[in-house]
Amino acid sequence: MESSSATAGVSTRREATRQKLYEAAVTLIAEQGFSATTVDEIAERAGVAKGTVYYNFASKSVLFEELLRHGVGLLTASLRDAAESTARAGGGKVDALDAMIRAGLVFIDRYPAFTQLYVAELWRTNRAWQSTLMVVRQQAVAVVEGVLREGVENGEFSDEIDVPLTASALVGMVLVAALDWQSFQPERSLDDVHAALSRLLQGRVSGRRG
């Protein structure tokens, strides 16, 4: 038991250290770019020795690759939780998508620097971590695809929709709208932005009355 507790304690401390390094790296890279950011700066910002960075990550590139995995993993989990919570409450698939939109906005509001980096990296093709980025992106999109497919199967959505493209469009809509909100319309509340995207989702932008 003592050995198990000690191992758990080491694991918890290491995870806390890695979290500090993630936060330091994402802030610095968002401020000055990947190439201009040094390991020394990351260590200083995190409040650890330079050797601690290399103890946890083989290089700056590996740190950034793991940062992408970590961040998109958190986003994926929040989307999945939103969908599952809606299902437990008896909501439909449109409700699940709406809940996922809100979860995405909450995530982006909490981690704006990471979101900016993530979106920027999606457009680059010369990075060592490009394949990793594509894998973790697909994990997030797959959660939305799953809800769409279930909606098609139960008749809530048309079987003519292109599930992969629609899922990517919904994720992209949230990312771009949220970044626009934070950069150019910061006075708007999260509830306000969510309401606008919810109206798009539910097809209530034409002014027609059903």
Side-chain angles (χ1 to χ4, degrees), residues 13-150:
R13 288 193 296 274
R14 185 175 187 189
E15 186 56 38
T17 298
R18 290 168 72 93
Q19 184 64 40
K20 287 196 295 185
L21 290 170
Y22 288 144
E23 292 173 359
V26 74
T27 302
L28 285 166
I29 295 171
E31 291 173 353
Q32 56 195 36
F34 177 81
S35 298
T37 300
T38 66
V39 172
D40 288 297
E41 289 173 320
I42 293 172
E44 182 179 359
R45 180 68 66 93
V48 302
K50 182 178 180 179
T52 301
V53 180
Y54 289 115
Y55 175 75
N56 286 275
F57 304 100
S59 66
K60 185 177 70 170
S61 292
V62 171
L63 167 56
F64 191 63
E65 184 173 345
E66 290 303 312
L67 169 63
L68 290 172
R69 287 184 184 275
H70 176 71
V72 179
L74 291 177
L75 173 59
T76 302
S78 67
L79 296 177
R80 185 178 295 110
D81 288 346
E84 291 175 351
S85 295
T86 302
R88 287 194 298 269
K93 299 309 174 185
V94 172
D95 298 319
L97 292 175
D98 190 51
M100 294 165 85
I101 286 174
R102 184 174 186 86
L105 292 173
V106 169
F107 174 88
I108 294 166
D109 188 44
R110 183 175 181 182
Y111 304 108
F114 172 79
T115 306
Q116 291 169 9
L117 283 179
Y118 172 64
V119 172
E121 290 301 317
L122 284 174
W123 294 98
R124 301 182 190 273
T125 58
N126 61 341
R127 300 295 205 189
W129 50 79
Q130 187 67 23
S131 60
T132 295
L133 184 60
M134 292 300 99
V135 169
V136 295
R137 170 201 168 275
Q138 185 53 39
Q139 289 172 351
V141 173
V143 178
V144 184
E145 287 184 7
V147 171
L148 289 169
R149 287 197 175 91
E150 290 171 2

Side-chain angles (χ1 to χ4, degrees), residues 146-195:
V147 171
L148 289 169
R149 287 197 175 91
E150 290 171 2
V152 170
E153 290 170 2
N154 68 19
E156 191 170 348
F157 301 140
S158 168
D159 59 7
E160 296 181 354
I161 68 169
D162 185 319
V163 170
L165 187 58
T166 301
S168 295
L170 286 171
V171 173
M173 175 185 73
V174 174
L175 288 172
V176 174
L179 290 178
D180 184 88
W181 159 42
Q182 296 189 334
S183 299
F184 305 113
Q185 305 178 65
E187 73 282 356
R188 299 184 69 166
S189 68
L190 190 151
D191 287 340
D192 187 28
V193 176
H194 174 224

